[in-house]
Amino acid sequence: MICEKCRDAMVTIDPTQACVRCGAPFGSLLCTECEGIDLAHDRCLAATVFEGPPSRIVRAYKDGGEQRLAQEIASTMFTAARAAEHEDPARYGGLLSQLDAVTFVPVTAAAYRRRGFDHMELVARAFARKSGIPLLDVLAKRGHADQRELSRAERMEQSQRVYVVVAPDLVRGKRLLLLDDVITTGATVSAAARVLKLAGATHVDVLAFARVWGE
């Protein structure tokens, strides 16, 4: 569980001020983070800034195996998405209310063997239960590289041809919400969104627990 002290110390992102394309906290008017970058997803929202408690929560969950945090992460993401649709319907209208299904960015087979679980699958299942929106487990990830130490250009290059849709018939014609834990450059979620659209998804929004900012 997340203690009240850590919850109060989280820097939440105001959806009315954030960039709707890359989730940057203060990019609602002019975002230099995603300027000139080809992003395949339609909209992007992050719940918190990746510093302090959110960074410790993610590390404890992914690297420390604290699977109980999946429910807390999912709840934070759901609250952020619901607030965004309510507070800024002009930009986030339909983020939850018009969805057909949620899906998630998967880990590689090597990461699954190392951790013993897919961290975003657990979050997505908790999110689906809380929201009442169906879950589609339709993405697979090739390779084994960890992108956390890569530059933006390296992430963009490595993310190409990494993801594959294993059940195109389930994706075709759907409006999807793609879940991930942390957005750094947007390369990962954009690559995953691209293959979902190539498989026939009509609309792919992205929702993350945290957005790296100021590094």
Side-chain angles (χ1 to χ4, degrees), residues 8-193:
D8 292 341
M10 286 185 184
V11 179
T12 57
I13 295 176
D14 181 352
T16 67
Q17 300 299 315
C19 175
V20 76
R21 293 287 290 132
C22 74
F26 308 108
S28 60
L29 296 179
L30 178 62
C31 182
T32 57
E33 289 288 292
C34 61
E35 187 176 5
I37 302 297
D38 179 23
L39 298 174
H41 52 271
D42 293 280
R43 297 177 295 184
C44 179
L45 175 69
T48 67
V49 175
F50 188 65
E51 62 181 30
S55 67
R56 294 194 296 271
I57 289 165
V58 170
R59 292 187 179 101
Y61 177 45
K62 291 171 65 173
D63 301 328
E66 292 289 341
Q67 296 184 34
R68 294 173 298 176
L69 289 170
Q71 181 66 46
E72 298 286 342
I73 292 169
S75 180
T76 300
M77 294 169 69
F78 175 72
T79 298
R82 187 172 54 183
E85 188 166 5
H86 175 72
E87 295 172 15
D88 197 345
R91 297 198 302 156
Y92 295 103
L95 188 65
L96 292 176
S97 61
Q98 295 179 17
L99 275 184
D100 292 309
V102 297
T103 189
F104 60 94
V105 175
V107 298
T108 61
Y112 187 92
R113 288 193 297 270
R114 183 174 67 253
R115 295 185 182 129
F117 66 101
D118 184 324
H119 65 284
M120 283 314 301
E121 179 183 2
L122 298 187
V123 170
R125 292 192 182 282
F127 188 96
R129 288 194 298 271
K130 189 170 187 65
S131 65
I133 299 168
L135 172 65
L136 292 181
D137 183 356
V138 293
L139 285 169
K141 185 177 182 180
R142 304 187 182 105
H144 60 274
D146 190 331
Q147 290 194 329
R148 283 179 283 188
E149 300 302 322
L150 300 182
S151 69
R152 182 170 196 161
E154 289 170 334
R155 283 170 178 258
M156 289 291 183
E157 181 178 358
Q158 190 182 89
S159 293
Q160 303 305 312
R161 299 180 297 278
V162 167
Y163 298 98
V164 60
V165 177
V166 298
D169 289 346
L170 298 179
V171 169
R172 195 171 298 118
K174 298 290 196 305
R175 289 180 62 96
L176 302 176
L177 182 63
L178 176 66
L179 307 184
D180 202 5
D181 58 344
V182 181
I183 293 175
T184 302
T185 64
T188 295
V189 290
S190 180

